[in-house]
Amino acid sequence: MTKPALHTEFGDIAALREALDRRQVSAVELARSALDAADAAASLNAFLHIDADLTLAQARAADEAIAQGAAGPLTGVPIAHKDAFVTQGWRTTAGSRMLAGYVSPFDATVVERLQQAGAVSIGKLNCDEFAMGSGNENSAFGPVRNPWDPAAVPGGSSGGSAAAVAARLVAAATGTDTGGSVRQPAALCGVTGIKPTYGTVSRFGIVAFGSSLDQAGPLAASSRDALALLDVMAGFDPRDATSVERCSGVENAPGRVRRDFDAAQQAFDANGGKPLAGLRIGVPAEYFGDGLADDVRAAVEAALAQFEALGAQRVAISLPRTELAIPAYYVIAPAEASSNLARYDGVRYGHRAAEYSDLTEMISRSRAEGFGDEVRRRILIGTYVLSHGYYDAYYLQAQRLRRLIAQDFQRALQECDVIMGPVAPGVAKDIGENRDDPTADWLADVYTLGVSLAGLPAMSVPCGFGAGAHSRRPVGLQIIGNYFDEGRLLAVADRYQQVTDWHQRVPGGMDN
């Protein structure tokens, strides 16, 4: 790997913002450096579209805002967006040939809010097609490579986002999490990522996969950097019918997450040398069964021991329907996908077949040519479970199971304050490893799917590496909280990151 971008010389986002305000560096310098770094790291295939003119225009506007004393919380900070967010200027493909070359006439709410906060976008990041995948191998534009080991996947579907942050090409990136697609790539690339409570971040302008599951979240090196983005991203949006106006009685608006983070930190500071005294960490027995790799188990157990050293109490809990989250999710998500993707018919926008004899053939050929194997597979599953005679047997049963899974979490969270465990059963697999078994990757989502079905907030923080031949492949610790508990989750993660350096490590050959 080449030397990371200039922004890494200034530490975290808070320090970078201070350096910008003191004119130690300009937004244009940071943007040019990030563009150069992205170009030098092209072999990772993390970016799908870069437009230097668009980026530098935003950077010049950031420098002007700083000069006028009108800087926002992210002014001048280089970031990038997962290609599932629609953007003006940059192409939005959702990793699919179906949308190749598409440019949106408007920005997603998340993109809009980050831009208003002053962030400078370097471009659009590769992802599994329509966010369907666990390894970023399903992109129509080729797989992303893990910066820690180019032979390995970065995780999916936000693999491009995780790889770009891990390689320090950008200070942070946006992602979307439907069944674990922020947490899993964050874990496999050794960065921090958080999926907030469903409904706290607007879905307006996100290319839809599973509407009752999709939720945007940031990926960054540390919990404090993730906080800097999430605090801006979160907030009620009247354009999103699933957006919540209030979070446990508090207005859902920018500033909420940071206030909760600061309140939690003050409580931790009051505990002196044992900052996490009184914090009950629930450890589900089902997350530590036979399917968990030994090296992942060891890294997660070491992280839990560190939390105990900080004063936290470990509590044994049970999430009895953990494994049932897999069939429930892979009925509900494909059902919603089959409905959401019906709009891609070659008539209004998206790919249209060059040859056809009538409207029916045009639609079928356009969809067959535009969609990849995994997307077609999930559309077929979703259409089947929603069809007459099977709707009650599959879709309704899955929704009933979803409610039971959510109730399991609520019972567990009465016994503890947060839940911790692994993000994935193993470290990153090799690219192409499961090519002959397209459903094998589904099993790797066993620890993340239940959280998504329940709509809870959860995050991944780096906590170690694999063993043996996989000693350069990261391991992530999952931290799960109750609804609207993002601020405390980030504060708990920050206390861990204050006494460990996993989040500061970068792939070999790169300067920190």
Side-chain angles (χ1 to χ4, degrees), residues 135-317:
N136 224 140
E137 296 176 282
N138 295 329
S139 171
F141 308 104
V144 176
R145 296 186 177 274
N146 193 316
W148 288 96
D149 184 349
V153 301
S157 64
S158 306
S161 301
V165 173
R168 301 305 193 255
L169 307 180
V170 291
T174 57
T176 62
D177 192 311
T178 305
S181 291
V182 164
R183 291 162 286 158
Q184 196 226 48
L188 301 190
C189 286
V191 300
T192 302
I194 181 168
K195 180 199 87 71
T197 305
Y198 180 81
T200 56
V201 176
S202 174
R203 293 191 305 109
F204 181 78
I206 296 176
V207 178
F209 165 18
S211 298
S212 73
L213 297 157
D214 297 341
Q215 189 65 180
L219 296 96
S222 68
S223 63
R224 284 183 179 261
D225 284 354
L227 168 67
L229 265 72
L230 181 59
D231 192 54
V232 170
M233 295 164 60
F236 172 68
D237 181 5
R239 296 174 296 183
D240 173 12
T242 61
S243 180
V244 297
E245 296 189 50
R246 304 189 71 81
C247 304
S248 297
V250 178
E251 182 183 6
N252 181 25
R256 173 187 68 87
V257 179
R258 185 171 292 279
R259 286 193 299 272
D260 289 348
F261 176 89
D262 291 342
Q265 293 287 23
Q266 290 175 6
F268 296 156
D269 288 341
N271 291 330
K274 296 286 187 179
L276 299 184
L279 183 75
R280 299 170 300 166
I281 296 175
V283 181
E286 293 79 6
Y287 284 19
F288 292 83
D290 293 338
L292 184 64
D294 290 340
D295 51 0
V296 173
R297 184 191 305 272
V300 171
E301 286 288 358
L304 291 170
Q306 181 64 68
F307 277 101
E308 289 183 283
L310 291 169
Q313 175 189 359
R314 179 169 174 162
V315 178
I317 62 170

Side-chain angles (χ1 to χ4, degrees), residues 283-354:
V283 181
E286 293 79 6
Y287 284 19
F288 292 83
D290 293 338
L292 184 64
D294 290 340
D295 51 0
V296 173
R297 184 191 305 272
V300 171
E301 286 288 358
L304 291 170
Q306 181 64 68
F307 277 101
E308 289 183 283
L310 291 169
Q313 175 189 359
R314 179 169 174 162
V315 178
I317 62 170
S318 177
L319 295 171
R321 297 178 178 88
T322 294
E323 291 188 355
L324 293 178
I326 298 175
Y329 176 88
Y330 282 103
V331 168
I332 295 169
E336 296 183 1
S338 71
S339 177
N340 279 323
L341 272 61
R343 71 192 71 178
Y344 302 105
D345 53 12
V347 176
R348 290 154 290 193
Y349 60 92
H351 174 75
R352 177 182 292 186

